[in-house]
Amino acid sequence: MVPLSFGTAELLLRGDGAVYWPREDTLFVADLHLEKASFFAQHGQPLPPYDSRETLHRVERAVAETEARRVVTLGDNFHDPDGAARLEPAACDLLDSLTNEVEWIWVTGNHDASAHTDGAPAECGGEQFAEIEIGGVICRHEARAGETRSELSGHWHPKLDVTVRGRRIRRPCAVVARHEGYGPRMVLPAFGAFTGGMDAGHAAIRASLSPAETIEAACAVRDRLVRLPLWRAEERAA
């Protein structure tokens, strides 16, 4: 884990893409997309049905290593509204153990809700919110353009794909936006074992984080924080 200053908060960014906030004793993870493989299997693409188990084991490991007392998921918890019903027994038991061990908060995302279901059925444990404020930071699934308060979100699955000193770097990353006088904002990378990604510098991510003066990618690499600039406000006028 590496320290990452976030306004008045001192966060810890993990190599697996989770963020831990020691002051709030809270672990944040985004875009688990549980049961994505079984969703594709239902649509003619047979895939091993173990992605949920792997993802939940990763959450379990992060909870153990941080000793977090609370977990906040930042939406797209299941790949589709019926995903919870397809959980294999081992994954279901693991999720049940996690939601009983810590305070568990599901923030719902676009993949979770439908006209007929909520983001996570009651049998999964935990509490559900469209968004929630923790320690003065708004936690929601998708960054909201125009937001001036501190914000944590997911949705975009940001990834770095750059060449530095002749070496190509491809890895999930957080995207951090800052603006003097406003709260900082961060998009977390997808935490799920079976998730794709979008270029961290994509215009859609930048637009969702406006207004911003600077936007950078951040990731934990070998116990150090790697930060790469993605955009500066003055570039618009150049």
Side-chain angles (χ1 to χ4, degrees):
M1 292 185 287
V2 297
L4 174 63
S5 293
F6 192 72
T8 60
E10 291 298 324
L11 307 180
L12 295 173
L13 179 61
R14 291 174 51 88
D16 57 15
V19 167
Y20 178 60
W21 190 356
R23 191 183 80 194
E24 297 293 332
D25 212 356
T26 300
L27 181 76
F28 299 90
V29 292
D31 298 276
L32 302 179
H33 282 270
L34 300 172
E35 291 307 301
K36 183 175 181 179
S38 64
F39 174 84
F40 277 89
Q42 286 187 330
H43 293 79
Q45 299 182 50
L47 294 167
Y50 306 121
D51 56 307
S52 295
R53 193 190 309 181
E54 182 180 346
T55 296
L56 291 169
H57 274 306
R58 294 179 69 200
V59 177
E60 180 183 48
R61 184 162 53 250
V63 168
E65 291 175 354
T66 60
E67 299 183 341
R69 300 295 298 274
R70 176 167 55 193
V71 171
V72 176
T73 73
L74 294 173
D76 285 1
N77 307 304
F78 289 86
H79 190 67
D80 66 284
D82 299 318
R86 299 195 304 273
L87 277 172
E88 57 160 335
C92 193
D93 289 347
L94 182 52
L95 180 56
D96 183 65
S97 175
L98 283 166
T99 57
N100 279 287
E101 177 186 352
V102 299
E103 178 187 358
W104 189 282
I105 295 173
W106 303 98
V107 172
T108 55
N110 55 291
H111 275 257
D112 298 308
S114 73
H116 308 290
T117 64
D118 295 322
E123 59 266 27
C124 289
E127 296 182 275
Q128 295 182 82
F129 298 90
E131 61 181 54
I132 189 170
E133 182 176 340
I134 295 176
V137 176
I138 302 298
C139 305
R140 56 169 60 108
H141 178 56
E142 184 175 353
R144 184 173 298 168
E147 181 61 79
T148 60
R149 299 168 294 176
S150 298
E151 176 191 72
L152 292 175
S153 63
H155 182 65
W156 297 107
H157 303 204
K159 281 190 173 184
L160 269 178
D161 190 352
V162 297
T163 300
V164 178
R165 297 177 182 175
R167 295 183 60 185
R168 190 176 187 186
I169 299 174
R170 301 181 69 182
R171 64 170 62 233
C173 67
V175 176
V176 182
R178 302 183 190 276
H179 188 296
E180 186 176 358
Y182 297 163
R185 303 167 69 196
M186 175 160 46
V187 178
L188 273 65
F191 192 84
F194 185 24
T195 50
M198 174 184 281
D199 179 14
H202 196 284
I205 299 178
R206 188 170 71 237
S208 73
L209 291 171
S210 65
E213 293 176 337
T214 64
I215 299 177
E216 64 181 11
C219 52
V221 180
R222 298 174 185 170
D223 296 324
R224 57 186 290 260
L225 179 64
V226 174
R227 301 166 60 179
L228 292 175
L230 297 172
W231 184 81
R232 289 184 178 275
E234 57 264 30
E235 292 177 1
R236 289 186 300 177

